[in-house]
Amino acid sequence: MSGASLPTAAPAPVPAPATKRAAFPARALRWTRRLPLSGKVGLAFVLFWLVIALIGPLLAPYPIGAFVDENVFSPASRTFLLGSDYLGRDVLSRLLHAARYTVGLGAGAALLACTVGTGLALVAAVGRGWVDELLSRFMDTVISIPSKILALVMVAAFGSSLWLLLLIAGLTYVPGNYRIARALAVNLNQMDFVSVARARGERRAYIALSEILPNMLHPLLADFGLRFVFIVLLLSALSFLGLGVQPPQADLGSLVRENISGIAEGAPAILMPALAIATLTVSVNLLIDALPHRGRN
Amino acid sequence: MSASPASRPHAARNTLLRMIAGRIGAAFLTLILVSLVVFTISDLLPGDAAQEALGQSATPAQVAALRHEMGLDRPAYVRFGSWITGLAGGDAGQSLVANMPVGEIIRERLPNSLLLAALTTLVAVPLALTIGISSAMNRGGRLDRALNVATLSMVALPEFLVATIAVLIFSVKLRWLPSISMLPEQATWGQFFETFAMPVFSLCVVVIAQMARMTRAAVIDQLDRPYVEMALLKGLSPARVVIRHVLPNAVGPIVNAMALSLSYLLGGAIIVETIFNYPGLASLMVNAVTSRDMPLLQACAMIFCAVYLLLMLLADVTAIVANPRLRSA
Amino acid sequence: MSDPATAPDTPHVPPHVPPHVTVTNLRIAARGPDGQDIVIVDDVSFAIPKGEVLALIGESGSGKTTIALSLLGHVRPGAAITGGSITVGDAAIRSLTPAALRDLRGNRIAYVAQSAASAFNPSRTLMDQVVEPALIHDLLPRPAAEAKAVELFRALGLPKPDTIGQRYPHQLSGGQLQRLMAAMALITDPELVILDEPTTALDVTTQIGVLQAFRAVVRDRGTTAVYVSHDLAVVAQMADHIVVLNRGRVRETGRVHQILQSPRDDYTKTLMAAAHPVVEAAQDKPRTAPVPLLQIEGLTAGYGRVDAQGRPAVPVLRDIGLTLHRGEILGVIGESGSGKSTLARVIAGLLPPARGRISLDGAPLAPGLDGRSRDDFRRVQIVFQNADVALNPAHSVGQILKRPLAFYHGLTGAAADARVAELLERIQLPRTLADRPCTDLSGGQKQRVNLARALAAGPDLILCDEVTSALDTVVGAAILDLLADLRRELGIAMVFISHDISTVRAICDDILVLYSGDVVDQGPRAAFGSPPHHPYTDLLIRSVPEMRPGWLPEGLGAPALPPIDPLAGDADLCRFLPRCNVRVAGLCDRIAPPRHDLAAGNAILCHLEEGPLAVAQRAEALV
């Protein structure tokens, strides 16, 4: 099909002088319009949560720790849009604060996982045989430890301050990203354009960063999204078990945990934070899936 | 190449056995490396088990005596050696908190975990295969797109949301099922169903979605090959093409997907076990983390890793046996 | 249909006999990425009388395979038949239900795919797959179908016809699989067989036997056939009628000899001209420099561990020696697996040799990349076959050309821009292309940029690895012209690697023939004009189809070879021995062949002397 999409079969059709690429907003709009419906929904929620993570606390109607309701687990009402929690605090306000932890930790840890994983993958791909052998052996070992188990062992050993959680969640998903990135990089490393660069006398660093890496960005972006989803689920699970973000700080998983006793009443205090996590992870997943794939029709 | 036709099957069986032996060896080696990683991380634990056991008021001499008694004053590699040989011999040490052998605690919990995992497998595998294959066969169609969005969402759902909603609907609103899963000693079939319905359902949601997506990808990967077009041009019906031509080639990746998802069932059941108060291995491990009971934690972690490696090994061997290129290389 | 006079009347069928296959005003369109329809087959009509062979010929994108598949009622995903009619016998293909179509396919109409290696299911035995059409259409019980398959295997000249069916596809060669695919097509005695470029993926020496086998079985059965190909010379052997296609339209239709002898359409003429590349050869001026530009002595290379004697575990090249002077072109020819591409990689330093010396202008060149200076790198440039993967898709044309300018010459900014414009002009591309991502270019344009990148270094030597093989004939011929220009005007020497001896003979000064890692024949171009040659060179030359009907010998493959003792697998014996038609028992199967010179100036690796070779090869030429 690729042949059919190129109207350039003639020997040398002189293209019109490259029209200046459209300005960013116009391009972004066109890109968005091409997404399938599921992708548009995903994009909308992803943007929504990014905004909440940035300015959420400013929107909170009540201070985060204030006991504002006489009742606990009250249902949604005009005064408390998402009801109140097990101590009579405003769920919406707590949620707006907690989202920041969930999104921030998730994005930070995913970035850490992808940077370390891809960096090591590039080293393995262009490095000498034994470097690849050693790294891959190590990653294969770590990947054989189920991610939740690995995270639990690390939490037990190191504790769970915010920075440690970021580090633990990031490191847990390094091997997964390494595996994907290494497969991509090793494939690209065998391409003729890399052979040409090597025969030109280029250094390994140039080959890794200028020849190989640019061609990995697209799939890596998708992998970043996937790691983000995994990490958000992992951290929420840890918090839900009481092993993640510790009070007085709270992420969305902590909110579910502290309100678990509201389950019998079907309180919004337990459902809303859980739903919030779900909309975040599901929408990221939908968006990644809708991204245009290069090379696939 | 020079093998005579008569000796060929024999030689092929030998290469097959050698390959399988190689995989078993590799899995074993990985398990040892895994134990090293687990030991190293848990050994980095700040603080001291002896100090913690005795509390703040203990004198340094008392602590030192206990350290000696617990073997904590030996070098790390010696402790690793005795730990790993103990594990291999079935002795996982003494639980620091429960003050009983780790092996005994685990023996009590492990069957529960296996039962839950087996039930989930029984439900999830046929469903996942059906969903995966039918969406691959309808690729790009309405059914495929709907299933795609559905499974895509299911894999990203936090388990506590699934479990919570299940409890809300079936226990709170409908009052059909209890919200806690405790199997009585002499359970009837009805009680059995009541106990396991919600935990199995909650685990299934994620696992089915994962398996179905990977199955679909494996089948589609094969559907794109020229031999599929050739089979259609021989006059085969699409169903026959999938059953006779595609599936034999997709067995490897599909089994691998199954193994990957199923390995999740033991360790990944943490949330489900916690919510339903189900006495499995995963919730045991959470307790070990909270109480910093390292021997118990290490033993649980090793069981989960061993199960993962065993499943991957089974998948690997299945793929080798199913592939004529590997079988008769 | 620009010229109605040349259109559908062509098959000279008496009016009272209806043609077996009729295609009328066929249109097929594909849905493009932006939702607009792209017409891939536009108003195509032709007819085939019963028992005759019609060839659909054209370059890539001509729609020939799409048309062929539509005869089976099949279109690839994303495309659809939008108009016209197709009739095969009494069946109107377009109006059939899916079930009726299935009944037809693999039964009355059979298909032979281009690459048998991928068209067979890798995990089922060949017998299983060959008899499947007969079984699913309930034509034969399994034992009868298997017996018939074995008969077909024999008729197609397959080795060990009784047991070959028990094997799996990966255990057989491409030529064998292609024959098995024909057996699978013919097991149901179809009335129409569609052969889709069935020999394109094969080596030229393998192709000839497969063509003979196909022609024999199709003729014996009186089967109507459609033969899809890009190669006019092959078509000349196989077909009665030709339909010339270009971009989905019929350019010319006619009987084979009419098209080959007096083509009416301009496009057909271009196609025929490109099939016989005529390149302006260099003048035979005396060699001025006494020191050759490139000299290779005793070079052995391969993969895996190297033993004490300097032999790698998997040797690819053995004891290679060659000499190349400034401004000359050395052709390296051989079939797939002969080691020709490895030779380029070794010279470029990508694969360090296990043994042997490479020198550039008399100075030794380090074996691998590590010991080479930046100037060494600059002087030797490599251009790969497939420009699609040789250009980094993440870079623009300008970026690609500027890198060597900056790397070797420190050229940046406006100076680099100016040089890029010059280079683009040099390779006859518009300078506005510099800002375009290289993924926007056509195949021929990419190959030109690929060449320009090598030129940007200012090299003394360019290693051209099958640079025209992935291109359509017309586009490839233009690249050959460009190479000849570059050599003439810039005095750049080239190692031109190809599997196509006519291309090599057109452009090269000297030729080197590789067989299974050995140089078997080596000498000036003139020496390759007439026999005697090395027996392999002879086979290679004889295997290139000529564009006249009747060139392909009758019968089934080559005559039996002289008998020899079973081979002990001695590494030093002549490697061509198993296929050699002039081998001598007691000599060739005992002693390693010597290298000796022939009168025409070439050196061959063979036991046979000039006289016997000449006699044997003249005799063949007469057959």
Side-chain angles (χ1 to χ4, degrees):
Chain A
M1 280 297 90
S2 66
S5 62
L6 289 179
T8 45
V14 183
T19 44
K20 275 274 167 273
R21 294 184 87 180
F24 173 75
R27 257 191 300 148
L29 201 67
R30 203 166 46 209
W31 182 84
T32 311
R33 227 180 272 142
R34 280 213 201 127
L35 289 176
L37 179 65
S38 61
K40 283 181 191 143
V41 173
L43 181 65
F45 272 102
V46 169
L47 291 177
F48 169 78
W49 282 114
L50 278 180
V51 171
I52 295 296
L54 285 175
I55 61 164
L58 301 179
L59 304 176
Y62 302 96
I64 178 167
F67 308 105
V68 286
D69 192 6
E70 288 142 29
N71 303 314
V72 295
F73 292 132
S74 53
S77 64
R78 277 220 134 130
T79 33
F80 307 108
L81 286 175
L82 298 180
S84 65
D85 74 354
Y86 75 115
L87 293 176
R89 294 173 295 191
D90 178 44
V91 172
L92 177 62
S93 304
R94 289 190 64 75
L95 207 145
L96 287 171
H97 279 94
R100 172 172 280 194
Y101 287 95
T102 297
V103 175
L105 279 177
L111 196 63
L112 176 72
C114 291
T115 317
V116 176
T118 305
L120 292 177
L122 284 172
V123 170
V126 302
R128 296 179 195 282
W130 63 266
V131 178
D132 182 23
E133 190 65 33
L134 206 72
L135 275 171
S136 298
R137 187 78 249 168
F138 176 72
M139 294 294 179
D140 275 352
T141 303
V142 180
I143 219 169
S144 321
I145 309 175
S147 48
K148 269 185 202 152
I149 305 303
L150 181 60
L152 281 180
V153 174
M154 288 201 274
V155 165
F158 307 135
S160 49
S161 75
L162 282 184
W163 285 110
L164 278 173
L165 282 176
L166 183 94
L167 212 62
I168 288 171
L171 291 181
T172 302
Y173 285 100
V174 164
N177 176 266
Y178 171 86
R179 216 177 230 201
I180 304 269
R182 182 184 169 276
L184 288 167
V186 165
N187 264 338
L188 287 164
N189 193 36
Q190 287 162 348
M191 300 289 263
D192 285 348
F193 62 79
V194 172
S195 294
V196 168
R198 289 199 294 144
R200 196 191 303 139
E202 300 282 7
R203 293 169 177 283
R204 288 179 210 270
Y206 172 86
I207 289 176
L209 298 178
S210 295
E211 299 282 350
I212 297 181
L213 185 60
N215 289 295
M216 295 165 64
L217 290 180
H218 223 77
L220 278 182
L221 183 68
D223 192 61
F224 171 79
L226 212 59
R227 302 288 144 209
F228 174 80
V229 171
F230 289 153
I231 288 171
V232 167
L233 291 175
L234 174 74
L235 289 176
S236 311
L238 284 180
S239 293
F240 176 77
L241 296 168
L243 301 170
V245 177
Q246 299 298 322
Q249 290 157 328
D251 68 351
L252 293 171
S254 321
L255 297 193
V256 180
R257 174 187 173 78
E258 60 190 27
N259 293 304
I260 191 74
S261 52
I263 194 169
E265 304 164 42
I270 177 168
L271 263 185
M272 285 306 151
L275 275 177
I277 297 169
T279 55
L280 175 63
T281 51
V282 170
S283 61
V284 171
N285 239 1
L286 290 176
L287 180 60
I288 301 170
D289 185 68
L291 291 178
H293 297 269
R294 203 187 280 167
R296 206 215 290 175
N297 201 343
Chain B
M1 282 289 114
S2 58
S4 69
S7 74
R8 184 176 286 282
H10 188 66
R13 197 163 56 235
N14 274 349
T15 33
L16 186 63
L17 288 178
R18 209 167 324 125
M19 283 184 84
I20 293 175
R23 298 300 157 103
I24 295 177
F28 192 70
L29 182 71
T30 311
L31 188 61
I32 293 187
L33 290 174
V34 163
S35 67
L36 195 60
V37 172
V38 169
F39 183 83
T40 311
I41 297 176
S42 44
D43 199 55
L44 290 176
L45 169 75
D48 187 322
Q51 180 80 61
E52 258 170 55
L54 293 175
Q56 290 299 322
S57 56
T59 65
Q62 284 171 311
V63 174
L66 186 64
R67 279 176 64 88
H68 183 73
E69 194 184 317
M70 292 169 76
L72 291 178
D73 55 347
R74 295 175 301 165
Y77 65 90
V78 176
R79 278 182 285 134
F80 176 68
S82 65
W83 174 65
I84 192 92
T85 45
L87 267 192
D91 171 21
Q94 193 78 7
S95 161
L96 297 181
V97 177
N99 224 345
M100 58 195 277
V102 167
E104 227 166 87
I105 309 178
I106 286 178
R107 252 189 297 281
E108 196 180 303
R109 294 284 190 110
L110 186 59
N112 293 340
S113 276
L114 291 178
L115 181 60
L116 182 59
L119 286 174
T120 311
T121 307
L122 228 54
V123 179
V125 168
L127 272 173
L129 282 177
T130 316
I131 294 175
I133 293 172
S134 44
S135 61
M137 286 180 70
N138 286 291
R139 171 158 48 145
R142 202 168 287 179
L143 176 73
D144 180 35
R145 276 178 295 164
L147 285 174
N148 180 40
V149 172
T151 54
L152 209 50
S153 309
M154 278 155 68
V155 287
L157 286 184
E159 284 131 337
F160 47 75
L161 177 66
V162 180
T164 311
I165 290 178
V167 169
L168 275 182
I169 296 176
F170 296 108
S171 312
V172 178
K173 288 270 176 330
L174 299 173
R175 300 188 179 283
W176 287 352
L177 299 167
S179 62
I180 284 179
S181 295
M182 293 291 262
L183 195 59
E185 285 289 322
Q186 300 283 315
T188 63
W189 283 108
Q191 284 168 320
F192 190 80
F193 176 81
E194 281 183 2
T195 309
F196 284 101
M198 283 201 293
V200 168
F201 169 80
S202 310
L203 280 175
C204 273
V205 169
V206 175
V207 172
I208 288 178
Q210 273 174 356
M211 284 195 282
R213 292 189 70 77
M214 287 194 268
T215 303
R216 175 185 182 273
V219 171
I220 280 185
D221 178 49
Q222 293 296 323
L223 285 176
D224 283 336
R225 312 253 166 144
Y227 75 80
V228 169
E229 183 175 64
M230 186 69 229
L232 286 172
L233 294 178
K234 278 155 81 173
L236 273 68
S237 63
R240 200 184 154 98
V241 169
V242 168
I243 293 166
R244 298 278 291 155
H245 284 268
V246 169
L247 286 186
N249 288 295
V251 164
I254 289 180
V255 171
N256 194 55
M258 301 285 148
L260 209 58
S261 302
L262 296 182
S263 73
Y264 174 85
L265 284 179
L266 283 193
I270 293 181
I271 301 287
V272 170
E273 287 184 13
T274 308
I275 288 192
F276 296 105
N277 267 326
Y278 185 83
L281 216 49
S283 46
L284 183 67
M285 182 161 174
V286 175
N287 297 342
V289 176
T290 347
S291 57
R292 308 191 86 175
D293 189 348
M294 279 302 159
L296 184 56
L297 180 72
Q298 287 167 335
C300 288
M302 289 309 295
I303 289 177
F304 294 131
C305 296
V307 168
Y308 171 87
L309 285 169
L310 184 69
L311 283 167
M312 295 318 282
L313 178 67
L314 284 177
D316 238 14
V317 171
T318 314
I320 292 174
V321 174
N323 186 339
R325 262 165 305 183
L326 299 179
R327 225 188 304 137
S328 52
Chain C
M1 207 75 33
S2 49
D3 182 0
T6 60
D9 63 333
T10 355
H12 303 286
V13 189
H16 53 277
V17 181
H20 185 194
V21 177
T22 319
V23 170
T24 324
N25 307 117
L26 181 67
R27 295 173 69 94
I28 299 175
R31 179 62 42 98
D34 41 6
Q36 281 187 319
D37 280 355
I38 300 163
V39 176
I40 20 184
V41 172
D42 192 4
D43 200 21
V44 165
S45 305
F46 58 83
I48 319 172
K50 191 155 187 58
E52 300 204 6
V53 180
L54 174 125
L56 295 172
I57 188 155
E59 303 180 284
S60 54
S62 64
K64 55 188 189 301
T65 295
T66 311
I67 297 171
L69 287 174
S70 72
L71 295 176
L72 289 142
H74 179 72
V75 282
R76 298 237 160 105
I81 301 179
T82 52
S85 71
I86 304 165
T87 341
V88 177
D90 54 1
I93 301 291
R94 285 195 65 197
S95 57
L96 294 178
T97 62
L101 261 182
R102 280 206 293 277
D103 209 36
L104 214 65
R105 291 176 182 166
N107 183 1
R108 284 172 56 198
I109 311 177
Y111 178 72
V112 175
Q114 172 168 162
S115 166
S118 57
F120 274 118
N121 188 328
S123 65
R124 298 179 62 200
T125 64
L126 288 157
M127 182 56 91
D128 244 15
Q129 305 186 53
V130 168
V131 299
E132 194 173 19
L135 300 185
I136 55 166
H137 294 110
D138 286 325
L139 300 175
L140 291 171
R142 182 148 188 139
E146 290 195 1
K148 185 166 182 188
V150 171
E151 227 172 90
L152 278 165
F153 296 162
R154 198 165 283 130
L156 284 157
L158 279 161
K160 298 188 186 156
D162 294 310
T163 54
I164 197 168
Q166 294 157 20
R167 318 198 62 182
Y168 287 94
H170 70 276
Q171 295 170 316
L172 301 180
S173 72
Q176 291 169 336
L177 288 175
Q178 214 65 55
R179 290 170 202 236
L180 280 155
M181 180 135 294
M184 181 162 80
L186 295 170
I187 191 109
T188 57
D189 293 320
E191 55 188 85
L192 172 64
V193 178
I194 289 152
L195 300 132
D196 187 2
E197 302 240 25
T199 61
T200 304
L202 304 179
D203 277 316
V204 65
T205 53
T206 317
Q207 165 173 282
I208 186 166
V210 175
L211 287 178
Q212 282 174 311
F214 282 7
R215 193 174 61 182
V217 288
V218 169
R219 273 205 197 144
D220 285 353
R221 275 148 230 267
T223 314
T224 309
V226 171
Y227 195 98
V228 177
S229 180
H230 69 282
D231 187 339
L232 271 170
V234 165
V235 160
Q237 314 313 316
M238 305 300 288
D240 305 300
H241 310 277
I242 292 182
V243 173
V244 181
L245 295 159
N246 178 231
R247 300 220 221 160
R249 290 178 151 267
V250 174
R251 299 302 293 248
E252 187 166 3
T253 313
R255 293 197 79 86
V256 169
H257 55 258
Q258 178 256 308
I259 300 245
L260 294 182
Q261 279 157 18
S262 47
R264 275 174 280 184
D265 184 80
D266 285 342
Y267 177 73
T268 316
K269 289 176 189 161
T270 325
L271 215 51
M272 295 193 54
H276 291 293
V278 183
V279 178
E280 201 179 321
Q283 304 89 329
D284 284 331
K285 53 183 179 210
R287 283 166 186 163
T288 44
V291 180
L293 175 66
L294 175 73
Q295 187 156 30
I296 294 179
E297 292 159 287
L299 180 131
T300 294
Y303 299 90
R305 198 179 288 276
V306 178
D307 68 11
Q309 282 91 49
R311 269 187 228 173
V314 187
V316 181
L317 291 170
R318 258 173 256 92
D319 202 23
I320 306 288
L322 63 83
T323 307
L324 173 65
H325 287 271
R326 265 180 195 283
E328 296 194 349
I329 302 186
L330 170 71
V332 175
I333 184 159
E335 57 193 30
S336 50
S338 62
K340 52 190 193 304
S341 293
T342 306
L343 181 59
R345 297 179 70 83
V346 171
I347 299 173
L350 291 169
L351 178 71
R355 202 165 49 173
R357 253 206 324 278
I358 308 173
S359 35
L360 197 62
D361 254 344
L365 205 54
L369 295 169
D370 284 344
R372 297 195 181 184
S373 70
R374 192 164 281 202
D375 202 51
D376 290 339
F377 285 125
R378 177 189 63 77
R379 296 175 65 187
V380 181
Q381 293 289 309
I382 188 164
V383 179
F384 285 108
Q385 161 176 10
N386 192 344
D388 278 332
V389 288
L391 302 180
N392 193 332
H395 294 168
S396 72
V397 172
Q399 276 175 297
I400 287 169
L401 297 182
K402 277 179 196 164
R403 180 65 194 173
L405 294 176
F407 188 74
Y408 294 125
H409 306 291
L411 223 53
T412 50
D417 286 333
R419 183 81 184 104
V420 166
E422 258 174 63
L423 282 166
L424 286 172
E425 211 155 289
R426 172 82 256 176
I427 55 162
Q428 298 149 26
L429 288 182
R431 43 173 76 195
T432 46
L433 236 50
D435 299 327
R436 298 272 292 265
C438 64
T439 43
D440 278 7
L441 308 186
S442 71
Q445 289 175 325
K446 280 184 193 163
Q447 200 56 286
R448 284 167 192 267
V449 172
N450 205 1
L451 267 173
R453 172 172 56 190
L455 291 178
D460 293 333
L461 171 64
I462 299 184
L463 307 167
C464 300
D465 186 4
E466 301 252 24
V467 288
T468 59
S469 306
L471 303 174
D472 281 323
T473 354
V474 175
V475 183
I479 297 279
L480 281 185
D481 282 334
L482 178 63
L483 287 178
D485 281 356
L486 293 177
R487 180 267 284 274
R488 211 171 38 244
E489 288 163 25
L490 305 177
I492 297 174
M494 296 179 196
V495 172
F496 184 87
I497 293 166
S498 175
H499 66 279
D500 178 7
I501 196 158
S502 45
T503 312
V504 167
R505 279 200 292 193
I507 190 174
C508 300
D509 305 285
D510 289 310
I511 298 176
L512 181 152
V513 183
L514 274 178
Y515 185 80
S516 183
D518 283 326
V519 177
V520 294
D521 201 344
Q522 187 171 19
R525 166 178 43 187
F528 287 80
S530 60
H533 312 286
H534 185 278
Y536 174 64
T537 314
D538 184 56
L539 175 65
L540 210 52
I541 293 174
R542 273 189 292 122
S543 303
V544 179
E546 288 174 25
M547 212 178 285
R548 58 180 170 88
W551 166 84
L552 184 69
E554 293 294 331
L556 239 190
L561 305 175
I564 46 165
D565 288 344
L567 295 178
D570 186 333
D572 290 330
L573 288 181
C574 171
R575 267 156 224 291
F576 188 56
L577 191 54
R579 294 171 65 189
C580 183
N581 64 347
V582 294
R583 60 195 183 186
V584 179
L587 178 66
C588 298
D589 50 1
R590 292 282 153 73
I591 308 168
R595 194 176 296 280
H596 62 95
D597 291 343
L598 299 180
N602 49 336
I604 64 172
L605 188 68
C606 186
H607 284 290
L608 286 138
E609 293 297 328
E610 178 121 21
L613 277 179
V615 171
Q617 292 172 2
R618 295 249 153 69
E620 277 158 14
L622 292 177
V623 172

